[in-house]
Amino acid sequence: MNATLLHDLIFYVMYAALAVSLVIIIERAICFAWTQKQAAQLAQSLTPDVRSAAGLPEALTRRNSLPLRVIEPVLAQKNRATPEAIGDVIDAQYLLSKPCLTRGIWLLETVVTAAPLLGLLGTVMGIIDTFKALSASGISDASQVSAGMGTALYATGLGIAIALICLVGNNYLQSRMERISELLKVLLIRAGSQAAAPQQDAPWAESGAKRYA
């Protein structure tokens, strides 16, 4: 394959990876901000007395959100299932929420690893292309050699810059995702908790009998 074509192709791939990574970072940041806001509002409204999603404020149920989708099956089983069964539903819903949160994160982690390697490959191809052009033309001017080497090394710098941007974005999203996971776990526990039964007086208390230890 032509070294120049391969060198240019590596640049296109790195620019495309940067564009896709920025889209993922922005989309996930907006999604996490919305999800965290909904989870915090649900945590305030969700009490043990809530038996279904209909018992929640309309402002929280009119729009479908991840926290609402996670707790709905738990609320549906709250009055019909045993505590052990409700615990299984809570664990299942918590695990099912993970793919919704981690969507696209794997691509950022891949770019963090691959971008410096692509930059290094681009530099190698650029150096090869520079020496081939110099040998074909017979030019031994040091300034032209430096210009070709500078263009080749630009690929390495670009790859490192892309990796740094994706690394910062990935760490930020990971911290937000961990916070949202904690909020979802709290919501699930609250959704599965039973309301305290009203305390009733004992028959001996109603009859006025004296209680003995």
Side-chain angles (χ1 to χ4, degrees):
M1 181 180 290
N2 191 337
T4 303
L5 179 60
L6 184 58
H7 182 254
D8 294 339
L9 182 61
I10 291 172
F11 271 105
Y12 294 146
V13 171
M14 287 195 294
Y15 284 129
L18 176 60
V20 172
S21 300
L22 290 177
V23 170
I24 292 175
I25 292 173
I26 295 173
E27 186 272 336
R28 289 286 86 190
I30 296 174
C31 178
F32 286 172
W34 164 254
T35 302
Q36 186 171 350
K37 179 181 178 181
Q38 292 294 306
Q41 292 177 352
L42 279 173
Q44 295 177 354
S45 302
L46 191 60
T47 62
D49 296 327
V50 176
R51 298 294 179 179
S52 64
L56 295 171
E58 184 181 356
L60 299 178
T61 58
R62 64 176 173 223
R63 295 189 64 178
N64 190 17
S65 62
L66 176 61
L68 182 62
R69 294 197 307 268
V70 167
I71 66 173
E72 278 181 338
V74 180
L75 292 174
Q77 298 292 329
K78 189 172 185 177
N79 298 326
R80 297 179 294 179
T82 62
E84 293 77 11
I86 293 177
D88 293 338
V89 175
I90 289 175
D91 293 337
Q93 290 300 114
Y94 182 73
L95 293 176
L96 290 174
S97 67
K98 292 295 185 179
C100 298
L101 294 175
T102 58
R103 185 173 64 243
I105 301 298
W106 67 271
L107 187 57
L108 288 180
E109 296 174 351
T110 302
V111 173
V112 169
T113 305
L117 298 178
L118 285 174
L120 182 60
L121 180 60
T123 296
V124 172
M125 293 295 102
I127 292 174
I128 293 174
D129 186 47
T130 299
F131 283 123
K132 285 179 64 176
L134 291 175
S135 62
S137 60
I139 299 176
S140 59
D141 189 358
S143 62
Q144 295 191 16
V145 175
S146 300
M149 294 291 291
T151 303
L153 291 174
Y154 174 75
T156 300
L158 179 62
I160 295 175
I162 293 174
L164 288 174
I165 293 173
C166 294
L167 180 62
V168 173
N170 181 62
N171 291 341
Y172 169 75
L173 294 178
Q174 290 288 347
S175 64
R176 295 296 298 271
M177 187 167 55
E178 183 178 354
R179 175 57 180 160
I180 293 173
S181 295
E182 294 173 353
L183 288 174
L184 291 179
K185 190 65 174 179
V186 171
L187 285 176
L188 288 168
I189 294 174
R190 289 187 180 181
S193 62
Q194 301 291 335
Q199 187 175 3
Q200 297 180 353
D201 293 332
W204 53 264
E206 295 178 356
S207 60
K210 187 177 180 180
R211 182 180 177 184
Y212 295 94

